[in-house]
Amino acid sequence: MPVSTQHAPGPAGNGMFRTKGVEQSIRDTEAPEFALRKSLSALDLTVFGVGVIIGTGIFVLTGVVARQNAGPATALAFVVSGIVCALAALCYAEFASTVPVAGSAYTFAYASLGELPAWIIGWDLVLELALGCAVVAVGWSGYVRSLMGNGGVSLPDFLSGTHGGTFGFDLLAFLLVLVLSGILVLGVKFSSRVTAAVVAVKVTVVLLVIVVGAFFITGSNYRPFIPPAEPSPGGGGLKAPLIQLMSGYMPTDFGVMGIFTAAAVVFFAFIGFDIVATAAEETVDPQRDVPRGILGSLFLCTVLYVAVSLVVTGMQHYSQLSVDAPLADAFKSVGHPFWAGLISFGAAVGLTSVCMILLLGQTRVFFAMSRDGLLPRTFSRVQPRFGTPYRSTVLLGVIVAVVAGCTSIEELAELVNIGTLFAFVVVALGVVLLRRRRPDLPRAFRTPLVPYLPIASVLASLWLMLNLPAETWLRFGIWMVVGCVVYAFYGRVHSRLATAR
């Protein structure tokens, strides 16, 4: 049921906390030069969600957290992260069906919390999606180089990225981002078809891991299922989880707290379902299809994650799992290199769709902020033939390509996680506030148990944030301070709400 734009209320509030009305947000999507083309269905959105969620997390992080934090209980860590995401997904579904406008959490915050909180979350999302895409592109490049090496083909060292302190240029990662940016310029429907083909390949590979690997499970590898807690080799300092520094406890690995620490890390594996909300404006029936796409993709991926982690930790003892390629190396450990090679191929193909959809989400947030005047409006112009924000797509594509090509990125999963969890907090609070301020809005999907479920979402997200390293909080704080400075000198003055006033 579309929201009527007749007699729509204008911006509310003053200064930094003025809100942009839902009706005004929808009216902005009707201007021809700023209107995105509607072509996506619920199936397309579910494919997008699965396409971005199944990637680095399932192919890489399973081994990392099993060895360092949770052992076989990594499956429980995925369950914890899945529950946190499910709480947030129910809040996203209500907002996306009520405000079917590009921008996701940024747009939702603008309609409920105000301009400054919206800017902060938009600034946060642009960085997090850019870093996430660059990290995945570098990981994709590593898988491809490995496959090329198996075939006797190799790239010169100076075109293989930065290694051991020696500068190099990661040509494969650079080219991947540029090619995917070009595909996004050609249209979101074309992008969804490419994604669908890629998703079919990697979901098949994941199912093969579950079915074939089940025959090689050894029960003794599950004992103990939750390894006893032991002192963390890193001790205290900024690398310790913030909750442990605040409480005064000595940082530990494994045990029950190890499961929560693992959940905060593997949360990176779930990043993506919220990106479905950024495509709401390009969906034919967003009130119905966006909630289905968000909840459907999250449910499918949680089931697959739990199954894969149980199979892999059953095939090989957690202390012996590979950190770089745990799924493939688990099959090598039981004498089946063929399946290991197939998994490596599936990982390389799968990471392609992850990069594409992270780019899609980033460009839509940037586009929405530009259309509101918080960033230069020239980047919100839509290509007449393809109906895509081509200027912002090209700009961000080039920037991310250069970052991926020139930077050896480590320990950024935590930084991406804290930004996404922060977005979850904002969206959950926004649901409660918008229910109070605008109870008259038609809501095709309603989050159940308001305000209790959104409050639970806020608390669960904050708990995972507190289990991230203190240095991650420091980096996040620095980026937010920079964002506030940019808003004070540009966004606040050029905002369309400010100029209209």
Side-chain angles (χ1 to χ4, degrees), residues 124-495:
D124 165 56
L125 287 175
V126 169
L127 172 72
E128 304 311 327
L129 295 174
L131 292 180
C133 182
V135 170
V136 174
V138 172
W140 175 88
S141 175
Y143 270 109
V144 172
R145 289 198 305 271
S146 176
L147 290 171
M148 291 170 61
N150 292 339
V153 180
S154 61
L155 289 174
D157 290 343
F158 69 91
L159 293 178
S160 299
T162 304
H163 299 286
T166 303
F167 177 78
F169 187 78
D170 196 330
L171 179 64
L172 294 177
F174 175 80
L175 292 177
L176 173 68
V177 176
L178 289 186
V179 170
L180 295 180
S181 298
I183 292 175
L184 289 174
V185 169
L186 293 177
V188 70
K189 188 65 177 179
F190 178 68
S191 304
S192 71
R193 290 170 181 163
V194 173
T195 303
V198 172
V199 168
V201 172
K202 67 178 177 181
V203 170
T204 300
V205 170
V206 170
L207 292 175
L208 285 174
V209 170
I210 296 170
V211 174
V212 178
F215 290 96
F216 302 102
I217 290 177
T218 302
S220 60
N221 288 331
Y222 288 135
R223 296 191 289 269
F225 190 75
I226 302 178
E230 57 186 47
S232 173
L238 292 178
K239 291 187 178 296
L242 183 63
I243 185 66
Q244 295 185 342
L245 293 182
M246 292 171 60
S247 62
Y249 289 114
M250 175 65 66
T252 60
D253 294 327
F254 305 109
V256 174
M257 290 302 298
I259 295 175
F260 288 113
T261 302
V265 176
V266 300
F267 179 82
F268 183 85
F270 287 91
I271 291 176
F273 78 85
D274 55 316
I275 293 179
V276 173
T278 68
E281 190 174 328
E282 296 160 274
T283 304
V284 176
D285 188 356
Q287 285 80 11
R288 182 195 66 180
D289 293 342
V290 172
R292 291 181 179 181
I294 291 175
L295 297 172
S297 58
L298 179 61
F299 175 77
L300 288 174
C301 293
T302 302
V303 172
L304 292 175
Y305 278 3
V306 171
V308 166
S309 60
L310 286 173
V311 168
V312 171
T313 53
M315 291 176 63
Q316 189 175 19
H317 194 267
Y318 71 89
S319 62
Q320 300 173 347
L321 283 174
S322 163
V323 172
D324 297 325
L327 275 64
D329 290 345
F331 278 94
K332 288 181 181 179
S333 71
V334 294
H336 288 273
F338 168 78
W339 295 109
L342 183 63
I343 291 169
S344 295
F345 171 77
V349 172
L351 294 179
T352 305
S353 68
V354 177
C355 281
M356 177 185 291
I357 302 169
L358 288 173
L359 277 174
L360 172 71
Q362 182 196 36
T363 57
R364 272 33 177 193
V365 174
F366 195 91
F367 165 80
M369 297 175 72
S370 173
R371 188 166 58 186
D372 290 332
L374 299 180
L375 293 171
R377 291 205 78 199
T378 184
F379 294 111
S380 60
R381 296 285 177 179
V382 172
Q383 211 284 333
R385 179 181 177 186
F386 303 118
T388 55
Y390 66 106
R391 293 179 179 177
S392 58
T393 302
V394 171
L395 172 69
L396 295 172
V398 170
I399 292 175
V400 175
V402 171
V403 171
C406 298
T407 311
S408 177
I409 304 173
E410 299 176 355
E411 297 181 350
L412 283 180
E414 291 90 349
L415 188 56
V416 177
N417 287 355
I418 195 171
T420 306
L421 287 164
F422 178 64
F424 286 3
V425 171
V426 171
V427 170
L429 292 175
V431 166
V432 177
L433 288 176
L434 200 60
R435 284 277 190 100
R436 290 175 179 265
R437 292 176 179 173
R438 296 296 308 279
D440 58 304
L441 283 174
R443 292 170 168 85
F445 180 92
R446 298 178 68 89
T447 303
L449 302 175
V450 173
Y452 306 108
L453 189 144
I455 291 174
S457 177
V458 170
L459 295 177
S461 298
L462 288 175
W463 175 252
L464 286 190
M465 291 172 73
L466 291 173
N467 278 277
L468 289 170
E471 64 179 357
T472 300
W473 282 82
L474 179 61
R475 294 169 184 164
F476 181 70
I478 292 173
W479 179 252
M480 288 296 102
V481 169
V482 173
C484 290
V485 172
V486 174
Y487 172 77
F489 286 96
Y490 184 90
R492 182 178 61 86
V493 179
H494 293 84
S495 162

